[in-house]
Amino acid sequence: MPEILRLTKQMLLVVSLLISLSAHCATSLPQGANTLEQIASKNTISLGYQDDAFPFSYLEGKSPTGYSIDICKNIVSALKTKLQLKNLKIEWVKANSASQFVLIKKHMADIMCIPAFYSKSRHNLSEFSLPFYFSSTRYMMRKNEYNNALEELSGHSVLVKSGTVYVDQLQKINAANALNINIELDTNNTIAFHEIQSGEYSALISSTVLLKGMIAQAENPEDYKLSNIALSDPLPAGLLIPLHDKEFKEFVDSTLSSLITSNEFTVLYTKWFQSPIPPKAINLNIPMSDNLKALTAAKKKISFDYEKYN
């Protein structure tokens, strides 16, 4: 990629982040604020969403929708009961993988309703709720250029979304195997997919579920292929919530524990991963993972140790 285009992308990322921050300064809360008290006093909860993370968080018309959006709405319902509020206004805060941690840290969003895959370094920036999905990392290529050997990508440029765990994963794979894979960053899954489609890049690296979602939405899904090899073990994804707010984390985790161990959760999972999703009737046909099944089968309040997945 010409240097001027690379610099332009980096500048757009910075501008996007600054716009996101300035747009929500009025709702910013001081560090260490009690989230539950602030929500009750404002009668408003701020929820972060992405418009490019199908089927977790995307726009249907002008409204955020998806699997993790439905999970957040379940938490909102529980909040109304806990805070004894007849109504609780939702303020939607647009985020991306590069801005989500800043928005949480600055209390410009109370919960990020997107799949945040865990890493120890990320845990230093934000608290993670109980996980609600597990997915390994893979890569996607145009089918007519596909290879199932990562070494074949040496010397080629691949796309990775900025601010994700996949950047660090690929850097470690590069170093461990003495590869020369050039890592290019993008900020939007939809744009990144189009750049693979156009042939500008050789591969796109992301979570298995998000790649399957992108391929399923393509005009010609058969033109793309997902790698057979996984670049990571299944990683847990939770909701991002503010650090150092024990009461709010306990509430969110307790609500998620009740949801995940209920029949309602199986219905919710089936809706988004094993049924036609309107308006295009896309069925991803992804069975529930063994890791997630283990959580749903819990007979008591769920606890989860993220550190063993680091």
Side-chain angles (χ1 to χ4, degrees):
M1 174 184 288
E3 185 65 22
I4 184 65
L5 291 180
R6 186 177 295 109
L7 291 174
T8 300
K9 282 195 172 189
Q10 292 172 346
M11 290 173 65
L12 286 173
L13 172 60
V14 173
V15 170
S16 173
L17 179 57
L18 290 175
I19 290 174
S20 295
L21 294 178
S22 62
H24 299 284
C25 281
T27 60
S28 166
L29 303 178
Q31 186 121 5
N34 183 296
T35 308
L36 288 174
E37 290 180 0
Q38 294 291 343
I39 291 171
S41 67
K42 297 186 301 177
N43 200 36
T44 300
I45 183 169
S46 298
L47 301 179
Y49 75 95
Q50 286 183 206
D51 62 3
D52 65 335
F54 178 87
F56 293 90
S57 174
Y58 63 103
L59 289 178
E60 185 63 56
K62 295 183 179 180
S63 301
T65 190
Y67 173 58
S68 52
I69 299 296
D70 278 356
I71 288 174
C72 274
K73 288 180 178 178
N74 185 280
I75 295 172
V76 171
S77 294
L79 261 176
K80 288 165 66 175
T81 300
K82 178 177 178 61
L83 301 176
Q84 298 181 329
L85 298 172
K86 186 175 181 180
N87 296 299
L88 180 57
K89 180 183 176 184
I90 297 177
E91 178 186 56
W92 292 105
V93 181
K94 186 176 180 179
N96 58 42
S97 54
S99 68
Q100 58 185 334
F101 290 94
V102 176
L103 292 170
I104 284 290
K105 184 177 181 180
K106 297 293 185 181
H107 294 274
M108 296 174 185
D110 301 311
I111 306 174
M112 278 291 156
C113 303
I114 57 179
F117 289 94
Y118 178 83
S119 73
K120 191 170 183 179
S121 60
R122 285 178 144 204
H123 204 181
N124 292 328
L125 302 172
S126 174
E127 188 58 81
F128 282 72
S129 74
L130 285 176
F132 56 92
Y133 202 86
F134 293 79
S135 184
S136 57
T137 303
R138 295 180 189 268
Y139 61 89
M140 178 268 293
M141 300 181 69
R142 293 177 298 281
K143 192 172 183 178
N144 61 354
E145 297 180 7
Y146 175 77
N147 68 74
N148 199 43
L150 193 62
E151 294 80 6
E152 293 297 321
L153 291 174
S154 185
H156 295 268
S157 293
V158 303
L159 270 178
V160 187
K161 195 173 182 188
S162 176
T164 62
V165 296
Y166 322 122
V167 178
D168 185 54
Q169 288 174 351
L170 188 54
Q171 288 173 338
K172 289 179 179 178
I173 290 171
N174 249 346
N177 297 280
L179 300 179
N180 184 32
I181 299 174
N182 185 35
I183 303 172
E184 295 288 349
L185 303 180
D186 215 316
T187 60
N188 184 279
N189 285 325
T190 304
I191 294 173
F193 186 85
H194 288 159
E195 290 173 323
I196 296 297
Q197 183 182 46
S198 70
E200 186 173 355
Y201 296 99
S202 298
L204 173 60
I205 294 176
S206 188
S207 71
T208 301
V209 60
L210 290 175
L211 290 174
K212 283 187 175 182
M214 284 184 259
I215 292 172
Q217 293 179 92
E219 185 175 348
N220 299 299
E222 66 279 2
D223 290 347
Y224 308 93
K225 186 169 175 59
L226 194 63
S227 66
N228 292 325
I229 60 171
L231 307 186
S232 76
D233 292 330
L235 298 176
L239 303 171
L240 296 183
I241 52 181
L243 277 172
H244 312 305
D245 193 335
K246 183 179 179 181
E247 184 181 9
F248 191 56
K249 175 171 170 55
E250 287 179 349
F251 169 77
V252 171
D253 281 354
S254 178
T255 303
L256 283 175
S257 179
S258 297
L259 173 64
I260 290 170
T261 55
S262 71
N263 291 332
E264 182 183 351
F265 184 73
T266 302
V267 173
L268 182 63
Y269 185 93
T270 300
K271 169 186 174 182
W272 289 106
F273 298 102
Q274 296 182 299
S275 302
I277 303 172
K280 297 181 179 180
I282 293 172
N283 190 337
L284 295 173
N285 289 311
I286 302 176
M288 189 179 292
S289 67
D290 290 341
N291 288 311
L292 193 53
K293 281 181 181 178
L295 294 183
T296 66
K299 302 300 182 183
K300 58 182 180 179
K301 187 175 180 179
I302 297 172
S303 61
F304 187 82
D305 183 7
Y306 273 105
E307 290 300 315
K308 71 178 183 179
Y309 285 89
N310 186 49

